[in-house]
PDB file of all heavy atoms in Angstrom:
ATOM      1  N   ALA A   1      66.426 -72.175   7.863  1.00 74.00           N
ATOM      2  CA  ALA A   1      67.028 -72.899   8.974  1.00 74.00           C
ATOM      3  C   ALA A   1      68.542 -72.952   8.771  1.00 74.00           C
ATOM      4  O   ALA A   1      69.030 -73.051   7.651  1.00 74.00           O
ATOM      5  CB  ALA A   1      66.473 -74.319   9.057  1.00 74.00           C
ATOM      6  N   HIS A  10      86.279 -88.120   5.587  1.00 95.00           N
ATOM      7  CA  HIS A  10      87.566 -88.667   6.030  1.00 95.00           C
ATOM      8  C   HIS A  10      88.695 -87.862   5.388  1.00 95.00           C
ATOM      9  O   HIS A  10      88.596 -87.500   4.208  1.00 95.00           O
ATOM     10  CB  HIS A  10      87.725 -90.128   5.608  1.00 95.00           C
ATOM     11  CG  HIS A  10      86.720 -91.047   6.214  1.00 95.00           C
ATOM     12  ND1 HIS A  10      86.827 -91.559   7.481  1.00 95.00           N
ATOM     13  CD2 HIS A  10      85.573 -91.551   5.713  1.00 95.00           C
ATOM     14  CE1 HIS A  10      85.796 -92.336   7.736  1.00 95.00           C
ATOM     15  NE2 HIS A  10      85.012 -92.355   6.687  1.00 95.00           N
ATOM     16  N   SER A  14      99.908 -86.957   6.336  1.00 97.00           N
ATOM     17  CA  SER A  14     101.146 -87.484   6.910  1.00 97.00           C
ATOM     18  C   SER A  14     101.542 -86.658   8.122  1.00 97.00           C
ATOM     19  O   SER A  14     101.297 -85.443   8.172  1.00 97.00           O
ATOM     20  CB  SER A  14     102.263 -87.467   5.875  1.00 97.00           C
ATOM     21  OG  SER A  14     101.945 -88.301   4.785  1.00 97.00           O
ATOM     22  N   GLY A  28      71.557 -66.838   9.028  1.00 77.00           N
ATOM     23  CA  GLY A  28      70.985 -65.574   8.608  1.00 77.00           C
ATOM     24  C   GLY A  28      71.668 -64.336   9.124  1.00 77.00           C
ATOM     25  O   GLY A  28      71.431 -63.243   8.640  1.00 77.00           O
ATOM     26  N   PHE A  34      82.146 -72.779  16.349  1.00 94.00           N
ATOM     27  CA  PHE A  34      82.920 -73.601  17.261  1.00 94.00           C
ATOM     28  C   PHE A  34      83.556 -74.756  16.481  1.00 94.00           C
ATOM     29  O   PHE A  34      82.988 -75.274  15.515  1.00 94.00           O
ATOM     30  CB  PHE A  34      82.021 -74.209  18.352  1.00 94.00           C
ATOM     31  CG  PHE A  34      81.217 -73.209  19.120  1.00 94.00           C
ATOM     32  CD1 PHE A  34      80.025 -72.722  18.615  1.00 94.00           C
ATOM     33  CD2 PHE A  34      81.644 -72.761  20.361  1.00 94.00           C
ATOM     34  CE1 PHE A  34      79.262 -71.796  19.320  1.00 94.00           C
ATOM     35  CE2 PHE A  34      80.901 -71.837  21.079  1.00 94.00           C
ATOM     36  CZ  PHE A  34      79.711 -71.357  20.559  1.00 94.00           C
ATOM     37  N   SER A  39      88.405 -87.402  20.482  1.00 89.00           N
ATOM     38  CA  SER A  39      89.407 -88.463  20.394  1.00 89.00           C
ATOM     39  C   SER A  39      88.736 -89.796  20.663  1.00 89.00           C
ATOM     40  O   SER A  39      87.685 -89.841  21.304  1.00 89.00           O
ATOM     41  CB  SER A  39      90.542 -88.208  21.383  1.00 89.00           C
ATOM     42  OG  SER A  39      91.184 -86.984  21.080  1.00 89.00           O
ATOM     43  N   GLY A  41      87.079 -92.828  22.036  1.00 77.00           N
ATOM     44  CA  GLY A  41      86.634 -93.156  23.375  1.00 77.00           C
ATOM     45  C   GLY A  41      86.476 -91.974  24.306  1.00 77.00           C
ATOM     46  O   GLY A  41      86.225 -92.160  25.502  1.00 77.00           O
ATOM     47  N   GLN A  42      86.586 -90.784  23.749  1.00 81.00           N
ATOM     48  CA  GLN A  42      86.504 -89.580  24.586  1.00 81.00           C
ATOM     49  C   GLN A  42      85.284 -88.742  24.217  1.00 81.00           C
ATOM     50  O   GLN A  42      84.651 -88.953  23.182  1.00 81.00           O
ATOM     51  CB  GLN A  42      87.770 -88.736  24.400  1.00 81.00           C
ATOM     52  CG  GLN A  42      89.060 -89.466  24.722  1.00 81.00           C
ATOM     53  CD  GLN A  42      89.135 -89.873  26.172  1.00 81.00           C
ATOM     54  OE1 GLN A  42      88.834 -89.083  27.071  1.00 81.00           O
ATOM     55  NE2 GLN A  42      89.527 -91.106  26.417  1.00 81.00           N
ATOM     56  N   GLU A  66      89.750 -69.628  10.756  1.00 96.00           N
ATOM     57  CA  GLU A  66      89.484 -68.309  10.199  1.00 96.00           C
ATOM     58  C   GLU A  66      88.040 -68.194   9.760  1.00 96.00           C
ATOM     59  O   GLU A  66      87.561 -69.017   8.962  1.00 96.00           O
ATOM     60  CB  GLU A  66      90.403 -68.016   9.021  1.00 96.00           C
ATOM     61  CG  GLU A  66      90.275 -66.584   8.513  1.00 96.00           C
ATOM     62  CD  GLU A  66      91.346 -66.223   7.508  1.00 96.00           C
ATOM     63  OE1 GLU A  66      92.060 -67.127   7.033  1.00 96.00           O
ATOM     64  OE2 GLU A  66      91.459 -65.028   7.203  1.00 96.00           O
ATOM     65  N   GLU A  88      88.115 -87.296  15.497  1.00 95.00           N
ATOM     66  CA  GLU A  88      87.017 -86.761  14.694  1.00 95.00           C
ATOM     67  C   GLU A  88      86.786 -85.313  15.115  1.00 95.00           C
ATOM     68  O   GLU A  88      86.791 -84.993  16.311  1.00 95.00           O
ATOM     69  CB  GLU A  88      85.748 -87.583  14.845  1.00 95.00           C
ATOM     70  CG  GLU A  88      84.657 -87.189  13.865  1.00 95.00           C
ATOM     71  CD  GLU A  88      83.649 -88.286  13.599  1.00 95.00           C
ATOM     72  OE1 GLU A  88      83.535 -89.216  14.432  1.00 95.00           O
ATOM     73  OE2 GLU A  88      82.959 -88.211  12.557  1.00 95.00           O
ATOM     74  N   THR A 102      73.956 -76.076  16.139  1.00 88.00           N
ATOM     75  CA  THR A 102      73.785 -77.040  15.054  1.00 88.00           C
ATOM     76  C   THR A 102      75.158 -77.572  14.699  1.00 88.00           C
ATOM     77  O   THR A 102      76.085 -76.792  14.456  1.00 88.00           O
ATOM     78  CB  THR A 102      73.140 -76.383  13.825  1.00 88.00           C
ATOM     79  OG1 THR A 102      71.855 -75.872  14.188  1.00 88.00           O
ATOM     80  CG2 THR A 102      72.981 -77.395  12.705  1.00 88.00           C
TER      81      THR A 102
END
Side-chain angles (χ1 to χ4, degrees):
Chain A
H10 297 279
S14 298
F34 305 82
S39 299
Q42 302 297 314
E66 187 170 12
E88 189 157 21
T102 300

